[in-house]
Amino acid sequence: MHVTRRQFTRTSAAALASAAFAGPLTRRVLAQVASPVNWRRISDRARAIEGMGGNALIFAQGDDTLLIDTKIAVGGQLTRDYIQTGGYMVTQVINTHHHADHTGGNAWWKPDTPILAHELAVPRIRAQRDRYDDSLKRRDPNDSAPPIELFVPSDTTNGETELTIGDEKVILHHFGPGHTDNDIVVLIPGENLLHTGDLCFNKMHPFIDLDGGATTKGWLAAVEQCLKLCDERTIVVPGHGPVTNFRGLELQRDYFNALRETVARAVKEGRSREETYKLPIPGFEDYDSPRGQAMALSAAYIELTGKSD
Ligand SMILES: [Zn+2]
């Protein structure tokens, strides 16, 4: 029987749903075999969900469950099924920023779950329906994204905000422009857990979205602020890459210092744009993706010189 990817995804979701009634081993095997998203237990009450976009996080306390970020659009339904099969009823969603690999599943939560994001994320989400559409069309050219209103957060903040999940305090911070102009980091003090959104790309070149309001200077300052929220035991969930601790943030800080110094020196030495984009970033030569490296160098070059491509 020929099975399209769409059917496969539905079948996978159905398999996962039935896994709710299976034993723990069956459930574990099914989850590994059938799904492109993967649970990672990071504490008693928290699970990271990896795959299909930025790292999402589930935090459950009492009758409440918080979901941070909703992955790419094509993973929206699947992730929702997956979370519910895991026995969680999500009562609050937070978007760490507007990018479509963190907000693409919003449409599958919005009808019955509040979604909170920075107010500056809203116009950017409204303007990126084509990104949600593209994600779905890659699986099925006949598919299309739900109405954009379903992706738009139901609630917004412009800075420091506190929520209660169960009886646990959840604190949102906005440290100004960094990865975008609408980054939110989420601290759960009782769990000593910090979700940084894309202010941390752990062990990979970061995506510096100048059009989305990014600045390497602001990003560096935001990482310093994140470090102040951490002690040696804090669990740090980055936007991309493996779950880490304060060292992942220190590495991100060191990366931006090295990147900015490399570009500043190149400009001072009168190197061309093309030469600059090929320079190694000292200490980070082992990071994969020459394209990611060139993109980071070019973003820093444009920021430091004020000369766009
Ligand atoms: Zn991002």
Side-chain angles (χ1 to χ4, degrees):
M1 184 180 76
H2 175 71
V3 179
T4 65
R5 287 197 68 180
R6 189 175 199 175
Q7 286 167 330
F8 173 75
T9 309
R10 284 185 179 151
T11 308
S12 305
L16 284 168
S18 66
F21 306 102
L25 179 63
T26 315
R27 207 152 56 222
R28 212 156 49 230
V29 169
L30 266 172
Q32 282 169 5
V33 170
S35 180
V37 290
N38 178 50
W39 289 116
R40 184 170 301 281
R41 183 188 184 284
I42 53 176
S43 71
D44 284 348
R45 296 179 292 176
R47 307 282 182 274
I49 309 173
E50 301 164 335
M52 301 197 93
N55 290 326
L57 180 87
I58 284 281
F59 173 71
Q61 172 61 20
D63 293 333
D64 289 344
T65 298
L66 169 67
L67 170 65
I68 302 175
D69 284 346
T70 63
K71 302 204 169 282
I72 52 175
V74 75
Q77 180 68 58
L78 181 70
T79 306
R80 182 172 172 136
D81 290 343
Y82 194 68
I83 288 168
Q84 290 181 339
T85 301
Y88 297 103
M89 288 300 293
V90 174
T91 52
Q92 176 72 54
V93 175
I94 294 173
N95 291 147
T96 58
H97 61 296
H98 72 280
H99 282 157
D101 55 336
H102 296 258
T103 58
N106 281 9
W108 285 268
W109 296 101
K110 182 159 180 189
D112 45 27
T113 313
I115 301 177
L116 176 64
H118 193 282
E119 62 187 10
L120 294 177
V122 171
R124 295 193 182 280
I125 287 173
R126 276 191 206 284
Q128 65 183 7
R129 187 174 188 278
D130 57 332
R131 291 186 187 266
Y132 303 129
D133 228 23
D134 287 348
S135 169
L136 290 152
K137 284 189 192 310
R138 269 199 289 275
R139 178 184 64 187
D140 179 349
N142 297 317
D143 213 347
S144 65
I148 193 65
E149 276 311 311
L150 285 174
F151 293 89
V152 176
S154 51
D155 304 294
T156 59
T157 174
N158 61 4
E160 310 295 290
T161 307
E162 274 189 26
L163 301 174
T164 305
I165 298 295
D167 54 3
E168 199 75 41
K169 201 197 303 182
V170 173
I171 304 171
L172 282 64
H173 294 283
H174 170 66
F175 298 130
H179 170 66
T180 67
D181 60 5
N182 58 89
D183 304 313
I184 281 175
V185 303
V186 184
L187 178 69
I188 309 176
E191 202 71 357
N192 201 0
L193 190 156
L194 179 69
H195 193 306
T196 66
D198 280 0
L199 286 170
C200 186
F201 279 69
N202 190 23
K203 297 184 177 166
M204 61 179 70
H205 291 291
F207 170 47
I208 304 166
D209 181 9
L210 297 180
D211 291 339
T215 78
T216 61
K217 188 177 177 188
W219 195 325
L220 199 46
V223 170
E224 294 283 10
Q225 294 296 322
C226 287
L227 275 165
K228 288 184 188 165
L229 301 175
C230 297
D231 61 29
E232 291 202 340
R233 294 186 167 187
T234 305
I235 303 161
V236 174
V237 180
H240 296 270
V243 173
T244 181
N245 57 17
F246 71 98
R247 291 189 198 284
L249 284 164
E250 287 184 340
L251 206 59
Q252 189 69 86
R253 175 194 64 195
D254 296 347
Y255 179 97
F256 278 113
N257 279 326
L259 174 70
R260 286 170 58 85
E261 280 166 20
T262 300
V263 173
R265 193 177 312 117
V267 171
K268 200 171 166 193
E269 290 169 355
R271 289 183 190 260
S272 70
R273 184 190 293 265
E274 290 67 30
E275 272 182 294
T276 306
Y277 292 1
K278 289 178 190 154
L279 291 172
I281 303 170
F284 300 91
E285 295 89 343
D286 61 333
Y287 277 17
D288 206 6
S289 176
R291 185 165 171 265
Q293 178 169 319
M295 283 172 65
L297 286 161
S298 92
Y301 183 91
I302 292 166
E303 181 182 335
L304 291 175
T305 62
K307 295 181 199 162
S308 56
D309 276 329

